[in-house]
Amino acid sequence: MTTSAAASGLSTDTASALRPHAEQTYATELEALAGADDRQRPPGWRLSPWAVTQYLLGTTLDDGTEITPKYIGSRRVVEVAVATLATDRALLLIGVPGTAKTWLSEHLAAAVSGDSTLLVQGTAGTSEEAVRYGWNYARLLAEGPSEAALVPSPVMTAMARGSIGRIEELTRMPSDVQDGLITVLSEKALPVAELGVEVQAQRGFNIIATANDRDRGVNDLSSALRRRFNTVVLPVPDSAEDEVRIVTQRVEQLGRSL
């Protein structure tokens, strides 16, 4: 017997959410871009690289639809990030606090795969199950290892769906947990030894990770893992005018939600 989200007290009303996900807040813009986008799209992508770039930097479409800028800064940074994902290379966004690493990560995932929710939050207590898989121990004890007892991580779910998986604060995770990503990124597969099977990544799968420059040395990435990422450094705003634009835009967005 299944229990609905409403019956269990879990809210599914995105309209009343305190902070809707990017793909919900900007659904109209994403739909308009998809309709105007006649360029080639990489396998599994909702938009072409050109449209993803326009979504992030802002533009006005031929039909008059205004696409608001999500990232105020260097166009080159955005183009390198989008090109990295288009070539199936994992992306690592590095910068000091306040350089919009998480913000850019979320909007990239929303534009590329339409889902920014497959997220692992890195902390000193993050376990290997968070990036691989875990078990429903009640079912495991009752039935033994089975697919029904398997609890997939956001990374495994992203692989199965062909979506973008996000990892926040990668360098805060213990080194052995970080290295659990090496097989995922190099082989594009995640073995489940207990079941004798593996989950193969579908087209469109990729990883976007973020790391804080000031946390360097907490848990440095191994050279093997670092080689599997293309690193993009996010700079601080170039000028006071850019800072004013960023603050003004965010205040307007918060004002609309209130």
Side-chain angles (χ1 to χ4, degrees):
M1 182 175 65
T2 59
T3 303
S4 69
S8 63
L10 300 177
S11 173
T12 58
D13 184 4
T14 57
S16 64
L18 185 61
R19 185 192 181 281
H21 299 296
E23 60 272 19
Q24 298 164 348
T25 302
Y26 298 98
T28 301
E29 293 186 15
L30 289 168
E31 183 179 354
L33 272 168
D37 185 14
D38 58 358
R39 291 165 173 77
Q40 185 174 358
R41 306 177 187 185
W45 283 39
R46 298 289 186 91
L47 300 171
S48 68
W50 169 85
V52 173
T53 302
Q54 299 307 307
Y55 169 75
L56 291 167
L57 295 175
T59 188
T60 300
L61 300 180
D62 292 340
D63 63 1
T65 302
E66 182 182 356
I67 307 300
T68 58
K70 316 303 180 301
Y71 178 77
I72 297 173
S74 169
R75 182 181 186 90
R76 179 63 176 167
V77 166
V78 172
E79 290 177 340
V80 171
V82 173
T84 296
L85 297 175
T87 55
D88 288 332
R89 183 90 168 164
L91 174 64
L92 176 61
L93 301 174
I94 286 183
V96 299
T99 49
K101 301 182 296 297
T102 298
W103 183 255
L104 183 57
S105 166
E106 178 182 1
H107 283 284
L108 279 167
V112 170
S113 59
D115 185 0
S116 63
T117 65
L118 299 174
L119 172 67
V120 175
Q121 179 61 56
T123 69
T126 301
S127 65
E128 190 176 11
E129 287 80 3
V131 298
R132 293 174 61 84
Y133 56 87
W135 297 96
N136 179 327
Y137 287 104
R139 298 196 71 159
L140 185 64
L141 291 173
E143 305 169 5
S146 66
E147 288 191 23
L150 186 71
V151 179
S153 69
V155 173
M156 178 182 276
T157 301
M159 295 176 70
R161 294 181 184 174
S163 298
I164 298 291
R166 299 169 55 212
I167 300 177
E168 288 294 304
E169 303 292 354
L170 178 61
T171 52
R172 283 203 164 275
M173 294 163 50
S175 298
D176 57 332
V177 177
Q178 294 177 13
D179 287 344
L181 292 168
I182 292 177
T183 300
V184 170
L185 297 180
S186 60
E187 303 298 329
K188 305 298 184 185
L190 182 55
V192 183
E194 296 86 345
L195 301 180
V197 300
E198 68 176 7
V199 175
Q200 292 186 319
Q202 301 302 300
R203 290 183 178 272
F205 165 74
N206 216 326
I207 293 290
I208 304 175
T210 67
N212 187 332
D213 262 357
R214 293 183 182 175
D215 285 343
R216 199 165 18 188
V218 174
N219 288 298
D220 283 339
L221 301 182
S222 67
S223 59
L225 182 57
R226 184 175 287 275
R227 285 197 305 270
R228 286 160 173 81
F229 282 100
N230 188 37
T231 301
V232 173
V233 179
L234 298 187
V236 296
D238 289 333
S239 64
E241 289 76 13
D242 281 348
E243 290 194 47
V244 170
R245 285 182 63 199
I246 293 168
V247 173
T248 301
Q249 180 176 308
R250 291 296 292 140
V251 168
E252 289 176 353
Q253 291 168 346
L254 291 171
R256 285 196 296 268
S257 69
L258 293 173

